[in-house]
Amino acid sequence: MDFLQPTSWAEALEMKAADPEAIPIAGGTDVMVEINFDHRRPRSLMDLTRIEEVRGWEREGSRIVIGSGLTYRRVIDEIAGTLPALVMASRTVGSPQIRNRGTIGGNLGAASPAGDTHPALLAGDAVVEIESVRGLRQVGIDDFYLGVKRNCLAPDELIRSIVLDSDAGPAYFAKVGTRNAMVIAVCSFSLGLHPRTGRVRTGIGSAAPTPRRAHAAEEFLFEELTDLWHSRADLDRSLVQEFGRLAAAGASPIDDVRGTAGYRTHSLAVLARRTLGWAWADYQRGANSDRAEDVN
Amino acid sequence: MRVSCRVNGEPVEVDDVWEGESLLYVLRERMGLPGSKNACEQGECGSCAVYLDNEVVCSCLVAAGQAIGREVRTVEGLAEGEQLHPVQQAFLDAGAVQCGFCTPGLLVTTHDLLERDPAPSDLQIREALAGNLCRCTGYEKIMDAVHLVIEQKAGATDA
Ligand SMILES: Cc1cc2nc3c(=O)[nH]c(=O)nc-3n(C[C@H](O)[C@H](O)[C@H](O)COP(=O)(O)OP(=O)(O)OC[C@H]3O[C@@H](n4cnc5c(N)ncnc54)[C@H](O)[C@@H]3O)c2cc1C
Ligand code: FES
Ligand code: FES
């Protein structure tokens, strides 16, 4: 086995182009499990932890650019308050030891339907910056996931960063599991209000072959909220109920060891109702939304 | 592959490391440091927890090569010679050690918690130790041990 140790992003792209089969390793919290259990014997491993350029994050106006190698630990410590749903999702990952090491880029690389950042990235309308020696491309999160543990990366490409808008609006993430730590989601749901466009975006986790949005539920709210963005009136119970029903209908869950399809459908409706209620209450108070001032 | 790093303050170098080996394996089998335990090799139990450049990680999930040039601190590096670290002493005094398999990881993780926050709440303690499994104690004695360290530290600064 080769162990590649690029120390700059440019060098990493060169190495990946020369050896497209090289498996990137960041926090190793997915890759090393596979190697320890002999589920994977890569010909070469490419360590990304020495590339400072992608280990941090920066703010460019209202854009937050998150390096693929940013750990959950740093997301929680440094971005709290700015990207609420992503931070909530990060807090639920594994244990402190896993969060000290695991990265957002690794979650996207693994592209597990149960990965916790995916619903938050979907609800936040994230853009993934993917790069190779051939150039940089920006892929909307809607086009990133292709199948079970499959994403849209070409063999010579690496995930450079993830871009989110910090001015969007209130956003939440909620996850169902058997305990508070170290739990792979039975199902999860994220919701983001985007008052500027009058849109609500959603993300469903662990209840379909890929993370996905609940499109019908989003369209329903787009119609129903038209006047409410301005009045900020309370949401009717029936509206919230219907949103929950449509959100759950957007999933295509299976029975597995973590839960039945029926349980997932039921709990998704609950999570959808709750996250909508929390986010709308924040919006009514004008919390975490620059749009609050604009609309008034 | 050659792996050289600092372990418990000393430079260490080992050769012929297979690139897919974990830091845990290298520590235990090549560096003669069997304190960190191997119980699951999948990040679930925390018994292999070590400091890697000041952050507590599961050493079973660190590829050996990722530790090159880094600073590693294991449970063997907590005591000062024969003098146990107060966290170690408190685990003994509180009866928080039964079979002892989880203990090294819990010691390192507790050490880290109290370095960052000398007076954590019960909820914060449970959260910080959530990645360390113990099959024997039922955790209450472990909570007692952490409280004991906190009280001793508070007593020491009051005095
Ligand atoms: C005990 C335990 C608990 C866990 N709990 C959770 C949980 O609660 N929620 C959750 O979502 N996940 C969980 N995970 C899974 C894992 O921690 C996450 O998926 C994490 O985000 C992976 O990040 P990493 O940096 O460790 O990835 P790595 O293991 O280093 O890499 C993961 C994959 O991404 C690829 N990759 C990494 N970086 C890049 C890049 N820049 N460009 C292209 N490809 C890249 C790798 O080649 C690999 O295929 C858990 C894992 C363990 C061991
Ligand atoms: S052996 Fe590393 S976490 Fe269990
Ligand atoms: S003392 Fe036996 S596992 Fe904790």
Side-chain angles (χ1 to χ4, degrees):
Chain A
M1 195 187 285
D2 287 334
F3 194 79
L4 309 172
Q5 292 177 281
T7 53
S8 74
W9 185 248
E11 194 185 354
L13 295 179
E14 294 286 338
M15 286 178 169
K16 191 70 169 122
D19 183 1
E21 277 178 43
I23 301 295
I25 176 169
T29 60
D30 282 312
V31 172
M32 285 304 288
V33 174
E34 292 173 352
I35 294 178
N36 288 344
F37 284 82
D38 232 343
H39 293 156
R40 188 173 215 170
R41 263 298 158 92
R43 261 199 317 104
S44 50
L45 275 179
M46 186 164 93
D47 179 19
L48 301 181
T49 57
R50 290 167 207 275
I51 306 172
E52 288 306 321
E53 295 136 282
V54 295
R55 302 284 293 169
W57 66 281
E58 55 194 56
R59 193 186 290 270
E60 294 172 356
S62 75
R63 277 167 31 110
I64 305 268
V65 182
I66 295 174
S68 56
L70 190 69
T71 59
Y72 294 111
R73 169 66 174 271
R74 291 190 56 193
V75 171
I76 295 163
D77 287 356
E78 299 173 24
I79 311 190
T82 308
L83 297 172
L86 184 66
V87 172
M88 285 175 216
S90 301
R91 283 206 185 96
T92 75
V93 172
S95 62
Q97 290 91 338
I98 299 297
R99 294 193 290 272
N100 279 347
R101 199 79 188 140
T103 64
I104 307 280
N107 214 224
L108 286 169
S112 158
D116 284 320
T117 67
H118 311 314
L121 296 178
L122 284 165
D125 202 6
V127 170
V128 187
E129 298 192 316
I130 297 174
E131 198 166 1
S132 71
V133 290
R134 296 174 291 125
L136 180 90
R137 61 186 180 115
Q138 299 191 311
V139 177
I141 192 72
D142 296 348
D143 300 319
F144 183 80
Y145 310 104
L146 298 186
V148 179
K149 301 193 177 180
R150 250 177 355 100
N151 60 33
C152 68
L153 294 195
D156 63 343
E157 286 181 321
L158 293 172
I159 301 163
R160 183 188 178 109
S161 45
I162 297 95
V163 185
L164 283 154
D165 179 7
S166 63
D167 283 353
Y172 280 86
F173 169 85
K175 168 174 170 181
V176 174
T178 43
R179 61 180 280 225
N180 271 341
M182 211 63 113
V183 145
I184 302 177
V186 174
C187 66
S188 61
F189 191 81
S190 183
L191 173 140
L193 303 185
H194 298 260
R196 227 173 324 204
T197 54
R199 291 269 169 194
V200 174
R201 285 182 61 107
T202 59
I204 294 174
S206 246
T210 65
R212 60 156 76 154
R213 289 163 63 194
H215 288 286
E218 293 182 14
E219 287 308 316
F220 169 74
L221 284 186
F222 181 65
E223 301 291 332
E224 295 290 323
L225 295 182
T226 313
D227 300 326
L228 294 177
W229 290 115
H230 190 74
S231 72
R232 292 172 197 247
D234 289 346
L235 301 180
D236 276 344
R237 250 183 90 91
S238 59
L239 180 155
V240 178
Q241 285 288 344
E242 181 60 7
F243 172 68
R245 196 190 65 76
L246 289 169
S252 45
I254 54 167
D255 293 336
D256 68 13
V257 287
R258 279 176 280 138
T260 62
Y263 178 70
R264 288 188 158 100
T265 304
H266 173 80
S267 43
L268 274 175
V270 175
L271 297 185
R273 294 200 300 265
R274 283 188 192 162
T275 50
L276 177 59
W278 295 330
W280 191 257
D282 284 355
Y283 177 65
Q284 289 180 305
R285 283 197 305 271
N288 194 25
S289 165
D290 281 8
R291 185 65 185 166
E293 280 77 43
D294 301 350
V295 177
N296 280 334
Chain B
M1 176 174 63
R2 168 174 295 181
V3 173
S4 51
C5 55
R6 290 179 72 83
V7 180
N8 299 328
E10 301 288 330
V12 183
E13 189 169 285
V14 287
D15 281 312
D16 299 324
V17 173
W18 176 59
E19 290 74 9
E21 265 170 36
S22 67
L23 172 61
L24 175 63
Y25 186 89
V26 172
L27 287 168
R28 290 178 54 85
E29 308 297 335
R30 300 189 186 275
M31 293 179 173
L33 292 167
S36 313
K37 296 287 177 268
N38 176 358
C40 75
E41 283 197 292
Q42 52 180 317
E44 296 278 349
C45 75
S47 63
C48 65
V50 303
Y51 281 102
L52 182 67
D53 281 354
N54 291 320
E55 273 186 331
V56 175
V57 303
C58 296
S59 59
C60 69
L61 300 182
V62 176
Q66 293 184 301
I68 293 172
R70 307 275 187 201
E71 186 87 38
V72 180
R73 191 173 179 196
T74 69
V75 68
E76 286 95 339
L78 295 185
E80 299 254 0
E82 292 298 299
Q83 179 69 43
L84 290 183
H85 187 277
V87 173
Q88 292 173 304
Q89 192 60 52
F91 268 65
L92 287 178
D93 294 344
V97 182
Q98 289 188 30
C99 80
F101 215 79
C102 67
T103 310
L106 274 160
L107 291 174
V108 172
T109 309
T110 303
H111 183 272
D112 177 56
L113 165 68
L114 298 178
E115 288 287 305
R116 289 171 193 276
D117 179 358
S121 67
D122 277 11
L123 201 65
Q124 287 169 323
I125 298 171
R126 287 182 188 279
E127 175 62 31
L129 302 184
N132 293 81
L133 301 185
C134 173
R135 302 291 308 263
C136 304
T137 64
Y139 301 103
E140 288 309 318
K141 298 286 180 194
I142 292 168
M143 292 297 291
D144 291 348
V146 181
H147 285 135
L148 195 56
V149 192
I150 295 169
E151 283 158 25
Q152 286 167 349
K153 271 201 178 179
T157 40
D158 288 350

